[in-house]
Amino acid sequence: MKGEVHHHLEESIRPYIDLIDTLRSVGIQKDLALPTIVVIGDQSSGKSSVLEALSGIALPRGSGIVTRCPLELRLRNVTGGVSWKAKIIEFGDPSLVEKHVEEAQNELAGKGVKICDDLITLEVRSADVCDLTLIDLPGIARVPVQGQPQDIGNQIKRLIMKFIEKQETINMVVVPCNTDIATTEALRMAQEVDPEGIRTLAILTKPDLIDRGTEKNILAVVQNKVIPLRKGYVMVKCRGQQQIDEKIPLVEATQIERDFFQNHDFFRPLLDENKATVKCLAIKLTQDLVSHIKKSLPKLDEQIKKQLWDVRNELKECEAGPPQDLKGAKQFLIKILTKFNDKIKSLSFGELIIKDNLFVQLRTEYKKWNDGLNDTKTPTAQFLKELSQNYRGRELLGFSNYRVFEMILQDRVAKLKEPAIKSLNSIKGTVTHLYQFTDVSHQCFRNYPVLLNTTMNKIDNIQSSQQAKTEQRIMDQFEMESMIYTQDPIYLKFLNEISSDKFSEAQLPAFDIKSKYSEMLQAYYEIVVQRMADQLPMLISFYMLKETAQLLCTDMLSILEGANVSELLFEDSDVSKRRKYLQSRLGRLTAAQEALSDFI
């Protein structure tokens, strides 16, 4: 096929073909149907031979299922050398085409005979091809071969139907001349989705294999007298197996084809009617495709605008997610970390940021601690009994011993250690897990499992360290309490509240009367209870809440140092999946609209 045949069409045709290829390249076919030509046929109908004649390259061929994935064949008329691109591989040796297509099919559908819906794109640039894009589909199979599932025929039909039922598709049906066209499965399927034959074109192959005496019947078919099709019929004679084995070039095969029709007693008129030869087929396909594209563009533009409107509205209903670019994503990470830190600080200040106020919970726990302290208070009579029976030394009756006074109080204070630690653990649970820090973390990072897990680990580590620190401070407090000390005015205040007698500093130490020891012990224990009732909550609030919040905020900002932003912002939720899907659609539709705007 000579390059000059196509040049007069190039200016008007090429831009339309390129436009659809551009739209397909941005993936818009996932959202709406594009004008295209799909090639269907029964196995061994000659599909591969027709495509080979159109493209000038040898595609995978053989018995059984050869095309196992939809193959998009982009033919581009260019001056200069010939090149091929399969997937993202570019090469110049035509003998490698079959190899790369097979490799791509194996990668998508697996080695063997299974099929796959994923598209393989093969681009051919040559001076000997038309500007044309075709999609070759697997040949229709009826009986599964070894290794194929029993429903392989239905799988192939489902795949074919997915393409041909779309109104934007021109269905190019390949049928051998030596079969009854009315009984071919490929044409039957085309008629099912296009009963009036408006977008169906039939290609009759293997005219040299028809039985003598049937020529007139075949001619009637090509002349649209048997099964009318709006786009009609074209007869072609491609290279046979013998010509392939003898490596007859396609250029020579093209001349052989023309000679065949020129010398045929019945099919010679088809040349004048432009209904025979691959050359006529290429020109017709190109013109039909461009005409189809022109008619489809207004509707295509309208569909894109409507879908863009719908997608933008749906995106507004989704929570804002991280931008796709690295710089934007890092800014987004800084933003949500800052928001988290603000909430943690508000939490430590006692502000209501979630349903359950933290300090309501803490006051409940602190009241339990205070109530427990009050329960340990001993009535005067009990103190006196303990003093006389348990702590009397070798002294005679009536003599005092300050060490006894200390021992009684130290013993009482030591018994408070266990409930103090229990209170610490209970409050840690309230602050960390039961309500607060965990809730804030889930509130801010619920869509980001990696970031959430990182934050929870930091909270656990900081809280464990702070708990150990708080326990030590509480133990230090108990060590200080064992020293038995308070200011004299404070002590006298409590003693005068308990005793029926009134004492003042001027009487010191005259009131060292053993009969008053029980009241003196009780007065000092009231001071201990008062101190511990406040001191332990203050220790816990400072180290387990305020200081923990400060440490956590500082530690969270350290995440930004050398952070793998995309990993931290990995999302795993229905909302994020929906948003990513819509963002992907928005990107495709926006690119498609820009391509259409530039074209129009």
Side-chain angles (χ1 to χ4, degrees):
M1 192 184 303
K2 301 300 180 183
E4 57 267 17
V5 173
H6 316 294
H7 289 323
H8 70 285
L9 297 172
E10 186 175 346
E11 283 189 17
S12 60
I13 289 176
R14 181 67 172 271
Y16 290 94
I17 304 293
D18 286 346
L19 171 64
I20 298 303
D21 285 347
T22 299
L23 295 178
R24 188 172 284 112
S25 296
V26 302
I28 199 64
Q29 70 274 11
K30 296 177 182 177
D31 307 288
L32 45 84
L34 292 173
T36 189
I37 297 176
V38 298
V39 186
I40 64 172
D42 294 7
Q43 285 186 11
S44 303
S45 61
K47 277 197 310 103
S48 296
S49 297
V50 173
L51 294 173
E52 178 185 278
L54 288 168
S55 65
I57 60 171
L59 295 170
R61 59 165 65 223
S63 59
I65 299 178
V66 178
T67 303
R68 300 191 293 122
C69 299
L71 175 64
E72 181 188 35
L73 189 59
R74 296 183 182 180
L75 309 180
R76 293 295 173 267
N77 182 263
V78 296
T79 57
V82 179
S83 66
W84 293 263
K85 283 197 294 185
K87 299 189 293 180
I88 57 172
I89 304 168
E90 187 166 353
F91 50 94
D93 185 353
S95 65
L96 296 176
V97 171
E98 185 173 358
K99 170 180 174 290
H100 285 300
V101 171
E102 287 179 350
E103 286 177 353
Q105 289 190 147
N106 289 338
E107 182 180 329
L108 295 175
K111 291 185 178 181
V113 286
K114 294 181 180 179
I115 65 169
C116 176
D117 289 12
D118 294 331
L119 195 71
I120 297 172
T121 298
L122 175 63
E123 185 175 296
V124 180
R125 295 179 174 272
S126 170
D128 296 324
V129 297
C130 278
D131 287 311
L132 182 64
T133 299
L134 305 164
I135 295 179
D136 182 28
L137 299 179
I140 300 170
R142 292 176 176 80
V143 181
V145 299
Q146 186 176 3
Q148 289 180 337
Q150 291 301 308
D151 66 339
I152 187 65
N154 291 331
Q155 287 187 31
I156 293 173
K157 288 178 183 178
R158 175 194 57 78
L159 173 59
I160 292 173
M161 195 62 71
K162 177 180 171 182
F163 281 85
I164 68 174
E165 65 185 358
K166 297 173 182 176
Q167 294 302 308
E168 292 78 6
T169 301
I170 295 176
N171 299 321
M172 173 176 153
V173 183
V174 180
V175 182
C177 286
N178 59 345
T179 61
D180 183 358
I181 186 172
T183 63
T184 57
E185 186 68 18
L187 186 60
R188 188 198 64 77
M189 292 182 68
Q191 288 178 308
E192 183 179 335
V193 297
D194 181 30
E196 296 180 6
I198 296 174
R199 52 189 183 86
T200 301
L201 167 67
I203 312 302
L204 297 181
T205 62
K206 306 179 182 180
D208 54 324
L209 300 182
I210 61 175
D211 294 332
R212 288 185 178 276
T214 61
E215 292 89 350
K216 289 184 178 180
N217 296 335
I218 301 298
L219 188 61
V221 170
V222 181
Q223 292 174 337
N224 226 5
K225 297 177 181 178
V226 179
I227 301 176
L229 298 175
R230 188 76 59 88
K231 295 189 178 298
Y233 295 77
V234 176
M235 183 183 291
V236 298
K237 181 188 178 301
C238 303
R239 289 190 306 174
Q241 189 59 51
Q242 183 178 349
Q243 292 175 321
I244 294 172
D245 293 340
E246 294 174 356
K247 297 183 179 180
I248 294 178
L250 286 171
V251 174
E252 185 179 341
T254 300
Q255 186 58 49
I256 293 174
E257 178 192 38
R258 183 167 185 82
D259 292 342
F260 170 81
F261 286 109
Q262 188 70 48
N263 299 323
H264 200 283
D265 294 338
F266 293 93
F267 299 152
R268 186 186 305 111
L270 297 179
L271 286 176
D272 297 330
E273 298 171 10
N274 290 322
K275 293 182 179 179
T277 73
V278 172
K279 171 185 170 182
C280 290
L281 172 62
I283 295 173
K284 178 172 176 54
L285 287 174
T286 302
Q287 291 173 335
D288 282 355
L289 178 58
V290 171
S291 175
H292 196 50
I293 292 172
K294 288 179 179 178
K295 292 178 183 177
S296 302
L297 283 184
K299 180 182 177 183
L300 196 60
D301 186 50
E302 183 181 336
Q303 287 177 327
I304 290 174
K305 288 178 180 176
K306 182 181 184 304
Q307 290 197 28
L308 268 173
W309 174 269
D310 293 341
V311 168
R312 285 173 179 145
N313 285 336
E314 288 184 62
L315 267 173
K316 290 178 183 177
E317 299 174 3
C318 293
E319 298 177 16
Q324 299 301 309
D325 62 292
L326 181 59
K327 183 179 179 182
K330 190 164 187 177
Q331 291 298 320
F332 180 84
L333 178 60
I334 293 172
K335 180 180 177 181
I336 62 174
L337 288 178
T338 302
K339 183 178 179 182
F340 172 79
N341 281 355
D342 289 343
K343 286 183 177 292
I344 290 297
K345 289 175 185 176
S346 297
L347 179 66
S348 68
F349 293 153
E351 298 176 13
L352 182 62
I353 59 173
I354 58 176
K355 182 179 179 181
D356 297 315
N357 187 296
L358 171 62
F359 282 84
V360 171
Q361 305 296 322
L362 291 181
R363 276 196 295 272
T364 300
E365 293 296 331
Y366 293 153
K367 184 178 184 304
K368 290 180 184 178
W369 164 245
N370 188 57
D371 291 344
L373 286 174
N374 288 328
D375 290 342
T376 64
K377 293 179 182 177
T378 304
T380 303
Q382 181 64 26
F383 259 127
L384 186 60
K385 183 178 179 182
E386 286 187 21
L387 182 63
S388 61
Q389 294 181 358
N390 300 333
Y391 292 95
R392 181 183 175 186
R394 66 186 184 86
E395 71 273 6
L396 296 176
L397 290 174
F399 289 91
S400 63
N401 187 335
Y402 184 69
R403 181 60 186 146
V404 171
F405 185 84
E406 282 186 318
M407 289 172 61
I408 292 174
L409 290 172
Q410 287 169 348
D411 185 52
R412 290 282 178 180
V413 170
K415 290 178 180 178
L416 298 178
K417 288 183 181 180
E418 184 177 347
I421 298 303
K422 284 184 179 178
S423 181
L424 168 64
N425 291 332
S426 177
I427 291 168
K428 180 202 173 190
T430 298
V431 173
T432 310
H433 298 295
L434 298 181
Y435 301 99
Q436 307 296 327
F437 283 1
T438 298
D439 278 4
V440 173
S441 301
H442 280 279
Q443 191 180 77
C444 293
F445 308 136
R446 62 179 174 272
N447 291 338
Y448 314 103
V450 176
L451 185 55
L452 178 61
N453 186 58
T454 300
T455 304
M456 296 306 299
N457 286 338
K458 287 183 178 296
I459 290 173
D460 287 342
N461 292 337
I462 292 172
Q463 282 285 3
S464 295
S465 174
Q466 288 300 104
Q467 182 178 14
K469 188 175 181 179
T470 308
E471 285 183 10
Q472 184 58 51
R473 295 297 181 271
I474 291 174
M475 291 301 102
D476 291 343
Q477 182 66 31
F478 277 106
E479 286 296 321
M480 288 186 284
E481 286 295 339
S482 70
M483 294 191 302
I484 314 300
Y485 174 80
T486 188
Q487 297 284 349
D488 290 342
I490 297 174
Y491 178 64
L492 285 173
K493 175 180 178 295
F494 279 88
L495 181 60
N496 286 330
E497 288 177 357
I498 293 171
S499 176
S500 57
D501 298 325
K502 300 301 175 186
F503 301 97
S504 67
E505 291 184 54
Q507 295 173 281
L508 293 174
F511 59 82
D512 184 4
I513 304 169
K514 198 161 188 177
S515 62
K516 293 293 181 180
Y517 273 17
S518 61
E519 293 177 357
M520 294 160 68
L521 286 166
Q522 189 174 351
Y524 186 82
Y525 193 72
E526 285 285 350
I527 296 171
V528 172
V529 167
Q530 180 69 54
R531 269 201 304 250
M532 296 299 289
D534 290 337
Q535 193 66 18
L536 184 131
M538 291 179 74
L539 285 170
I540 293 175
S541 294
F542 179 77
Y543 290 112
M544 295 300 294
L545 182 59
K546 185 177 180 180
E547 194 171 82
T548 294
Q550 292 172 343
L551 292 170
L552 179 59
C553 289
T554 302
D555 214 18
M556 288 301 288
L557 291 177
S558 70
I559 289 177
L560 295 171
E561 298 176 7
N564 185 332
V565 177
S566 59
E567 181 180 340
L568 286 173
L569 294 180
F570 166 75
E571 296 182 274
D572 186 21
S573 69
D574 291 339
V575 172
S576 64
K577 290 174 183 175
R578 177 67 177 164
R579 184 178 62 252
K580 285 182 179 179
Y581 165 73
L582 290 172
Q583 287 174 338
S584 178
R585 281 191 64 196
L586 181 63
R588 294 194 299 266
L589 289 165
T590 301
Q593 186 182 47
E594 289 174 356
L596 272 176
S597 298
D598 292 342
F599 182 83
I600 296 172

